[in-house]
C-alpha cells in the first residue's frame, strides 16, 4: 500500500541546496569533488562579469561540433556532393520559416505549460510538493513519464519502487521532482521521429539530457542556479530539432522523390540552430539568464566574452558532444578536457550512468 505524502517534509527538503534524497550518492560524491576542483576565486568570478571562451588544445569548438553531427547523421558519405535543386529550394523555405516570427510559431511546439510554473516555483516560497502533484496528476501521460524516470537507477539509485506521483515526491524531494518533471515534458518535443536519419531524435534527446545534467553539476561547482542551468542544458538544442523536423517535412512534400543526405541537414543546422534556439527561448519567455546564455552561443569562438551561464553552457555542450561521439573513451583526450576545463574528475562516469537509463 502506498503511503500518503508528507508535504511538510517534502517542502523542507526544497530549502536544501542539494536535497539528500534528490541526488544519487555518486552525484553527491561528484559535487564534493567539484568543490575541490573549484576554488574560492573561481566561484567569485562566476558570480558576475564575463569570461573568455578558451578552446581546449586537443578539441576545438568546430571539431567537436562536426564530430557530433557525424554521429547523429550517420551516413556512408559525409560529402554528398552537389545538392539536388529541389533540396536547395526547400532549404530556402526552411530558412525563411524559422527566421520569421509569424511562421516560426507555426513550426515550433509550444512550451509545455508546466515549465513556467516550475520556474515561478523557484521564486515562490509558498510553492509546495502538493502543487506539483496536482499539476502532474491532471495528465496521465505526464504521470507515466514521471514515474518511469523516477524509477530509473540515475534518479532512484536506492531502487525503491515508485508507483505514484505522491511517492515520487518523498523519494526524490522537490528539487529532484522538478528535474524529472522537466525532462518528462521536454522529451517528446526533442525526441521526434522521422523517416530520415531515424536515430537523430533519440540521439539529440540523449545529448540534451546529458547536457542538462552536466550543466547542473557545473552550476553547483560554480555557485550558479542549478535548476536554471539544468533547464538551459535541456533546451539549448531546441533549434536543431526544429530545423531537422522542418527539413524532413519539406523533403516529404517537395523533395522530388530524392532521399536527403548529410549535406541536406548538417550545413543549415550548423549555420542557424544556435540562433534559432535563442529565438525560441525568447518566444517561450524563458528566463533572462537562459536567453542571454543561448544568445552567446551564436557564432561562438575562442576569445569571445560571455556571461557565467553562457560559459558554463559552452563547456557542458562541448564535453557532451565529445561524449556523444565516443571520443571521451580516449584517455588522453578525456583527461585533457577535465584538466583544461576544470571539470569534476568523475564527469564522464556520471554521463555513463545516465546513458544506461536513456
Amino acid at each position: 500500500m502506498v503511503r500518503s505524502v508528507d508535504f511538510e517534509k517534502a517542502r523542507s527538503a526544497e530549502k536544501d541546496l542539494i536535497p539528500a534524497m534528490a541526488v544519487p550518492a555518486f552525484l553527491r560524491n561528484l559535487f564534493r569533488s567539484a568543490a575541490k576542483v573549484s576554488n574560492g576565486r573561481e566561484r567569485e568570478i562566476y558570480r558576475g562579469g564575463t569570461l573568455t571562451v578558451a578552446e581546449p588544445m586537443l578539441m576545438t569548438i568546430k571539431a567537436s561540433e562536426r564530430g557530433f553531427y557525424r554521429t547523429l547523421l550517420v551516413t556512408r558519405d559525409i560529402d554528398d556532393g552537389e545538392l539536388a535543386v529541389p533540396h536547395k529550394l526547400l532549404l530556402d523555405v526552411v530558412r525563411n520559416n524559422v527566421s520569421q516570427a509569424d511562421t516560426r510559431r507555426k513550426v515550433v511546439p509550444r512550451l509545455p505549460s508546466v515549465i513556467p510554473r516550475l520556474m515561478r516555483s523557484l521564486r515562490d516560497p509558498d510553492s509546495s510538493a502538493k502543487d506539483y502533484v496536482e499539476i502532474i496528476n491532471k495528465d496521465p501521460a505526464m504521470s507515466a513519464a514521471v514515474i518511469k524516470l523516477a524509477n530509473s537507477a540515475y534518479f532512484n539509485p536506492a531502487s525503491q519502487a515508485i508507483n505514484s506521483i505522491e511517492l515520487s515526491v518523498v523519494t526524490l524531494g522537490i528539487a529532484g521532482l522538478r528535474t524529472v518533471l522537466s525532462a518528462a515534458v521536454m522529451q517528446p518535443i526533442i525526441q521526434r521521429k522521422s523517416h530520415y536519419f531515424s536515430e537523430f531524435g533519440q540521439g539529440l534527446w540523449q545529448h540534451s539530457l546529458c547536457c542538462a545534467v552536466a550543466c547542473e553539476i557545473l552550476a553547483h561547482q560554480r555557485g550558479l542556479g542549478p535548476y536554471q542551468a539544468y533547464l538551459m542544458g535541456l533546451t539549448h538544442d531546441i533549434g536543431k530539432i526544429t530545423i531537422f523536423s522542418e527539413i524532413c517535412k519539406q523533403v516529404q512534400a517537395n523533395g522530388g522523390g530524392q532521399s536527403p543526405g548529410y549535406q541536406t541537414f548538417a550545413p543549415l543546422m550548423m549555420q542557424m540552430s544556435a540562433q534559432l534556439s535563442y529565438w525560441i527561448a525568447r518566444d517561450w519567455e524563458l528566463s533572462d539568464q537562459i536567453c542571454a546564455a543561448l544568445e552567446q552561443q551564436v557564432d561562438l569562438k575562442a576569445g569571445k566574452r560571455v556571461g557565467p551561464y553562457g560559459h558554463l553552457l559552452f563547456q557542458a555542450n562541448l564535453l557532451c558532444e565529445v561524449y556523444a561521439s565516443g571520443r571521451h573513451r580516449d584517455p588522453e583526450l578525456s583527461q585533457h578536457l577535465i584538466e583544461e576545463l576544470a571539470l569534476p574528475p568523475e564527469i564522464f562516469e556520471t554521463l555513463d550512468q545516465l546513458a544506461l537509463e536513456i
Side-chain angles (χ1 to χ4, degrees):
M1 182 176 179
V2 178
R3 55 182 171 146
S4 61
V5 62
D6 184 344
F7 289 114
E8 290 304 317
K9 179 180 179 182
R11 185 195 295 268
S12 65
E14 187 180 29
K15 298 178 181 178
D16 296 331
L17 177 63
I18 310 173
M21 300 180 71
V23 183
F26 75 92
L27 253 186
R28 292 199 295 275
N29 292 333
L30 186 61
F31 292 145
R32 282 195 285 269
S33 298
K36 295 177 182 177
V37 172
S38 177
N39 60 33
R41 181 174 175 274
E42 287 173 322
R43 285 177 174 270
E44 179 117 6
I45 291 173
Y46 273 92
R47 287 199 181 99
T50 60
L51 300 100
T52 301
V53 171
E55 293 177 320
M57 290 180 60
L58 298 183
M59 179 57 64
T60 66
I61 294 171
K62 288 299 182 184
S64 173
E65 183 182 38
R66 285 194 295 268
F68 181 60
Y69 277 108
R70 288 169 181 163
T71 300
L72 293 187
L73 299 169
V74 180
T75 181
R76 292 181 180 178
D77 188 2
I78 295 297
D79 298 316
D80 287 330
E82 189 72 14
L83 283 178
V85 172
H87 289 185
K88 288 182 179 179
L89 295 175
L90 68 84
L91 288 178
D92 288 337
V93 173
V94 172
R95 186 179 289 105
N96 181 73
N97 285 349
V98 300
S99 298
Q100 305 299 321
D102 55 341
T103 53
R104 183 167 65 246
R105 293 190 181 97
K106 297 177 182 178
V107 302
V108 176
R110 290 185 178 182
L111 179 69
S113 60
V114 70
I115 296 293
R117 296 183 70 171
L118 291 172
M119 295 295 292
R120 288 195 296 271
S121 74
L122 294 176
R123 302 185 295 271
D124 182 5
D126 296 324
S127 179
S128 70
K130 184 176 181 181
D131 298 327
Y132 294 154
V133 172
E134 290 175 352
I135 293 170
I136 300 167
N137 280 335
K138 291 178 181 178
D139 187 334
M142 186 188 299
S143 298
V146 169
I147 290 173
K148 180 179 179 181
L149 278 171
N151 276 291
S152 69
Y154 178 77
F155 290 105
N156 183 15
S159 299
Q160 178 182 350
I162 297 174
N163 54 17
S164 72
I165 297 302
E166 289 81 2
L167 187 57
S168 70
V169 175
V170 174
T171 305
L172 299 172
I174 293 181
L177 181 62
R178 185 186 288 129
T179 58
V180 167
L181 179 54
S182 299
V185 298
M186 289 302 301
Q187 183 173 1
I189 293 178
I190 299 172
Q191 191 180 328
R192 283 180 260 175
K193 297 181 180 179
S194 168
H195 296 295
Y196 314 111
F197 296 106
S198 58
E199 298 300 315
F200 183 89
Q202 172 65 13
L204 191 63
W205 165 244
Q206 291 177 344
H207 170 72
S208 298
L209 188 54
C210 283
C211 193
V213 168
C215 284
E216 183 181 29
I217 291 170
L218 296 183
H220 278 291
Q221 174 185 337
R222 298 168 184 183
L224 300 176
Y227 181 69
Q228 286 267 32
Y230 177 89
L231 185 58
M232 176 179 68
L234 204 59
T235 58
H236 82 287
D237 267 345
I238 193 66
K240 282 188 178 65
I241 194 61
T242 301
I243 292 173
F244 176 80
S245 298
E246 189 64 10
I247 291 176
C248 291
K249 174 184 171 183
Q250 293 296 332
V251 168
Q252 284 188 296
N254 308 297
Q258 295 182 333
S259 295
Y262 179 92
Q263 289 297 115
T264 306
F265 289 94
L268 184 59
M269 285 195 283
M270 289 183 187
Q271 177 189 2
M272 287 199 68
S273 63
Q275 180 72 70
L276 181 56
S277 291
Y278 163 64
W279 286 337
I280 293 172
R282 192 179 58 190
D283 292 343
W284 279 354
E285 298 182 348
L286 295 182
S287 71
D288 291 342
Q289 291 97 327
I290 292 176
C291 288
L294 292 177
E295 185 178 23
Q296 289 161 6
Q297 308 310 300
V298 179
D299 298 325
L300 190 68
K301 57 188 176 182
K304 184 174 181 178
R305 299 288 295 180
V306 297
Y309 283 92
H311 193 264
L312 183 152
L313 179 57
F314 146 65
Q315 292 192 331
N317 182 62
L318 188 145
L319 77 91
C320 288
E321 285 182 344
V322 169
Y323 181 80
S325 65
R327 295 199 60 185
H328 68 291
R329 298 189 185 94
D330 178 343
E332 181 183 1
L333 176 60
S334 60
Q335 186 60 35
H336 174 78
L337 289 176
I338 287 170
E339 291 175 356
E340 278 215 40
L341 302 181
L343 302 173
E346 299 91 348
I347 187 70
F348 288 117
E349 286 81 355
T350 301
L351 298 182
D352 280 338
Q353 176 69 23
L354 180 64
L356 294 175
E357 303 300 327
I358 56 177

